[in-house]
């Protein structure tokens, strides 16, 4: 039986030059053989070969960046907008009150840059409370549901590396107030890493391929595979607010953003911030041949100043719009895309990936030695009908925790400073005095905006000690 299995696997692998992954088969116990066999059978070996070939002939970003135009957007200070922010807010509120809005939160990946051993969502970020990213984002959903008087179900994506701990953590914390019935946790898929020179699959262990999460774009297939699309359909949800776990400033289900999306009959809307410098480390939302696309900073930043600093005839920069990874999707669009199946392309990233050498010794490279394949959800932008771009003020809505302390940007310290600055401004606008240098934090269940703070605090309040409003 085992011999037949080995032969079957071997002939499958040999056809594409990958039989080396069975090098330690004879040493493995039956359950380990089963595990390796399962991983191999799940692979689309022809696809991996084709992706490796394509990876060696990458997209011509210089050409795309030269053709790119600044995206048309609902900009913050544009008085000529087709709809005002007030109109958008009213429409968004009505949308929320219709009970047809859900949330997709992606909390998979590996959080390598931050360098923590637990899911990023468990990272403590509240500057006074020490609340985790999960607590802040889930409480924001609870608060929004409460204020619009409707349930807002959450579809939470994990990765194999974050799944079990996330489930246990949320259970232990009673989902931070979100009803169990309103929370669906689903795990994204994986892709194998391959050697960057040869395209050969890498072994992480004698019975395990080196696998990594398939990118936030894996959400589409994972939503379908885990029955979330049917659940969305059954509940009659029409609009899905999408965000990432690493941004504690996200304005959850932002009514203005949702309103622009609804008023524009958009299938996919994306929120952007005006970049501080043209080489900021955020994706660049642009229009190419009349379609919205995102050029990753890692691709743009390899290009010359002449391209990166291109300007429109009115003198404004082409690459001004930084991607916040906050979107609104129409449920029907997601369903259509999931049915189209593997609509999203894979992107390649060169990374340092540990692997077993021929002798079965673990090699831990210091430099990128492998290629990982990832899908990005924003590749749906050019396919969506009426995709729109809405600008938000970075100081109020975007502070991603990406890097470990010490990095110049997007670190826990810089994010906490931004949270304190925003919450201080809300308190001051409500007539409170906050002593300079005093850390204040407003919990989502206390208030989610300057206006809500003004309704809850007493004008004249003086804050001289760190304080958490909850
Ligand atoms: P990042 O691209 O910043 O990746 O993800 P990361 O895994 O958090 O961190 P690095 O790059 O390894 O340092 C942005 C968001 O997308 C989610 C992450 O949880 C984060 O919220 N994500 C990323 C996934 O859910 N799955 C993935 O495969 C990748």
């Amino acid at each position: 039986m085992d011999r037949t299995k080995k032969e079957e696997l071997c002939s499958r692998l040999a056809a594409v030059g990958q039989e080396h992954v069975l090098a330690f088969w004879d040493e493995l116990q039956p359950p380990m053989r089963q595990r390796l066999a399962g991983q191999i059978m799940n692979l689309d070996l022809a696809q991996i070969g084709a992706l490796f070939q394509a990876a060696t002939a990458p997209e011509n970003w210089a050409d795309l960046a030269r053709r790119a135009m600044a995206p048309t957007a609902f900009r913050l200070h544009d008085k000529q907008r087709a709809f005002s922010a007030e109109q958008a807010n009213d429409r968004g509120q009505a949308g929320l009150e219709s009970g047809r809005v859900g949330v997709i939160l992606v909390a998979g990946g590996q959080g390598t840059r931050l360098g923590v051993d637990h899911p990023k969502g468990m990272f403590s970020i509240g500057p006074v409370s020490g609340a985790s990213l999960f607590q802040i984002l889930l409480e924001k959903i609870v608060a929004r549901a409460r204020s619009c008087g409707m349930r807002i179900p959450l579809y939470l994506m994990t990765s194999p590396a974050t799944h079990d701990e996330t489930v246990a953590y949320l259970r232990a914390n009673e989902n931070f107030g979100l009803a169990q019935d309103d929370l669906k946790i689903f795990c994204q898929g994986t892709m194998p890493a391959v050697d960057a020179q040869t395209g050969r699959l890498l072994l992480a262990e004698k019975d395990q391929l080196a696998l990594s999460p398939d990118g936030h774009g894996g959400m589409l297939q994972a939503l379908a595979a885990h029955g979330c699309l049917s659940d969305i359909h059954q509940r009659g949800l029409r609009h899905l607010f999408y965000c990432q776990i690493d941004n504690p400033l996200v304005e959850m289900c932002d009514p203005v953003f949702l309103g622009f999306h609804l008023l524009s009959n958009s299938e996919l809307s994306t929120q952007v911030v005006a970049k501080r410098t043209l080489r900021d480390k955020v994706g660049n939302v642009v229009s190419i041949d009349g379609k919205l696309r995102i050029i990753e900073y890692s691709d743009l930043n390899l290009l010359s100043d002449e391209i990166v600093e291109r300007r429109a005839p009115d003198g404004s920069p082409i690459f001004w719009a930084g991607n916040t990874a906050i979107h609104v999707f129409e449920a029907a669009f997601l369903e259509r895309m999931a049915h189209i199946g593997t609509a999203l392309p894979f992107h390649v990233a060169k990374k340092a990936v540990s692997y077993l050498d021929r002798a079965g010794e673990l090699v831990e490279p210091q430099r990128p030695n492998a290629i990982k394949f990832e899908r990005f959800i924003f590749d749906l932008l050019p396919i969506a009908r009426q995709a729109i771009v809405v600008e938000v003020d970075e100081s109020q809505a975007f502070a991603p925790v990406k890097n470990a302390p010490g990095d110049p940007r997007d670190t826990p310290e810089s994010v906490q400073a931004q949270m304190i600055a925003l919450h201080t401004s809300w308190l001051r606008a409500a007539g409170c005095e906050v002593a300079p240098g005093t850390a204040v934090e407003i919990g989502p269940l206390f208030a989610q905006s300057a206006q809500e703070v003004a309704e809850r605090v007493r004008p004249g309040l003086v804050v001289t000690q760190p304080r958490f409003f909850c």
Side-chain angles (χ1 to χ4, degrees):
M1 170 74 183
D2 246 14
R3 173 137 299 279
T4 339
K5 186 81 202 165
K6 183 180 177 187
E7 280 164 12
E8 186 193 328
L9 290 172
C10 201
S11 71
R12 221 170 105 78
L13 290 161
V16 286
Q18 300 281 17
E19 64 277 24
H20 63 280
V21 297
L22 297 179
F24 306 103
W25 182 269
D26 295 336
E27 296 174 31
L28 302 179
Q29 296 299 314
M32 297 161 88
R33 287 183 179 177
Q34 227 170 18
R35 174 155 136 150
L36 182 60
Q39 289 189 343
I40 295 169
M41 294 310 282
N42 269 333
L43 297 179
D44 180 342
L45 290 164
Q47 179 197 44
I48 292 158
L51 287 172
F52 177 69
Q53 293 303 329
T56 46
E59 186 124 41
N60 186 343
W61 290 111
D63 178 49
L64 284 174
R66 276 205 184 88
R67 276 161 47 214
M69 318 256 280
T72 309
F74 291 100
R75 296 214 61 172
L76 276 172
H77 303 294
D78 181 1
K79 299 274 178 285
Q80 311 293 319
R81 297 195 287 203
F83 315 106
S84 67
E86 291 70 31
Q87 282 172 309
N89 185 51
D90 290 350
R91 184 67 189 87
Q93 284 293 353
L96 283 163
E97 286 162 21
S98 73
R100 297 197 178 277
V101 178
V103 173
I104 298 173
L105 173 59
V106 291
Q110 291 173 309
T112 24
R113 282 170 289 172
L114 186 60
V116 285
D117 289 336
H118 302 287
K120 222 186 210 185
M122 288 169 61
F123 189 77
S124 156
I125 196 68
V128 184
S129 68
S132 66
L133 286 161
F134 274 134
Q135 174 167 359
I136 293 175
L137 270 75
L138 266 62
E139 286 187 351
K140 285 188 177 205
I141 299 174
V142 171
R144 185 67 75 195
R146 201 174 58 188
S147 70
C148 69
M150 285 290 164
R151 293 164 69 172
I152 300 184
L154 167 63
Y155 301 88
L156 174 65
M157 186 168 89
T158 56
S159 63
T162 64
H163 187 79
D164 292 346
E165 232 183 320
T166 299
V167 170
Y169 175 73
L170 293 183
R171 190 175 295 141
N173 288 286
E174 297 175 351
N175 306 331
F176 295 106
L178 197 67
Q180 188 60 36
D181 198 32
D182 287 338
L183 174 64
K184 295 257 173 298
I185 307 182
F186 64 104
C187 188
Q188 70 179 114
T190 55
M191 281 294 281
V194 299
D195 181 272
Q197 300 300 322
T198 61
R200 281 156 62 100
L201 292 165
L202 298 173
L203 280 174
E205 312 250 358
K206 290 182 176 176
D207 65 338
Q208 248 192 90
L209 299 171
L211 298 173
S212 50
D214 58 358
H216 40 69
M219 172 203 108
L220 194 57
Q221 274 179 304
L223 269 181
H226 294 276
C228 298
L229 285 181
S230 334
D231 191 76
I232 288 169
H233 190 79
Q234 273 162 19
R235 286 175 183 254
L237 301 177
R238 298 236 178 102
H239 324 291
L240 280 312
F241 182 89
Y242 168 101
C243 59
Q244 302 188 332
I245 191 59
D246 54 15
N247 178 16
L249 277 202
V250 60
E251 183 160 359
M252 189 60 73
C253 303
D254 177 355
V256 176
F257 180 41
L258 181 64
F260 279 125
H261 169 88
L262 296 172
L263 288 166
S264 306
N265 280 320
S266 168
E267 286 190 319
L268 168 53
S269 298
T270 192
Q271 212 175 56
V272 300
V273 290
K275 285 164 57 181
R276 292 183 232 168
T277 71
L278 290 172
R279 289 192 185 269
D280 272 2
K281 290 188 170 181
V282 284
N284 297 272
V285 183
V286 290
S287 170
I288 300 176
D289 304 331
K291 299 276 182 198
L292 285 182
R293 285 191 63 170
I294 292 187
I295 303 183
E296 278 290 49
Y297 68 83
S298 45
D299 296 312
L300 190 76
N301 286 357
L302 293 175
L303 306 178
S304 66
D305 287 349
E306 175 239 327
I307 298 180
V308 177
E309 292 171 8
R310 282 182 53 229
R311 288 180 181 267
D314 68 0
S316 58
I318 300 289
F319 299 104
W320 67 268
N323 175 32
T324 61
I326 298 168
H327 309 292
V328 180
F329 291 96
E330 282 301 284
F333 174 62
L334 287 179
E335 273 180 35
R336 207 170 78 233
M337 289 299 108
H339 286 143
I340 289 174
T342 47
L344 297 180
F346 277 100
H347 294 248
V348 299
K350 276 201 169 182
K351 295 274 165 81
V353 174
S354 305
Y355 65 98
L356 294 190
D357 65 13
R358 281 166 201 265
E361 298 296 328
L362 185 70
V363 182
E364 297 186 77
Q366 298 307 307
R367 300 227 173 113
N369 61 313
I371 291 180
K372 286 184 175 181
F373 301 105
E374 286 192 337
R375 285 191 160 121
F376 296 157
I377 200 64
F378 56 65
D379 280 324
L380 289 174
L381 274 172
I383 314 173
R385 279 195 287 260
Q386 299 289 112
I388 60 156
V389 177
V390 180
E391 184 190 2
V392 276
D393 181 342
E394 177 174 3
S395 67
Q396 295 182 23
F398 186 54
V401 189
K402 296 283 183 198
N403 301 314
D407 210 84
R409 269 195 75 165
D410 302 336
T411 60
E413 297 91 328
S414 68
V415 170
Q416 288 180 334
Q418 206 173 320
M419 293 172 79
I420 293 171
L422 179 65
H423 294 170
T424 301
S425 75
W426 289 356
L427 286 163
R428 289 192 178 143
C432 304
E433 223 180 275
V434 180
T438 308
V440 289
E441 180 184 347
I442 313 276
L445 297 175
F446 183 81
Q448 290 219 72
S449 62
Q451 193 191 336
E452 287 182 8
V453 169
E455 286 161 12
R456 277 171 209 143
V457 295
R458 178 174 48 79
L461 177 77
V462 179
V463 186
T464 54
Q465 299 288 327
R467 182 154 168 194
F468 176 48
F469 291 79
C470 61

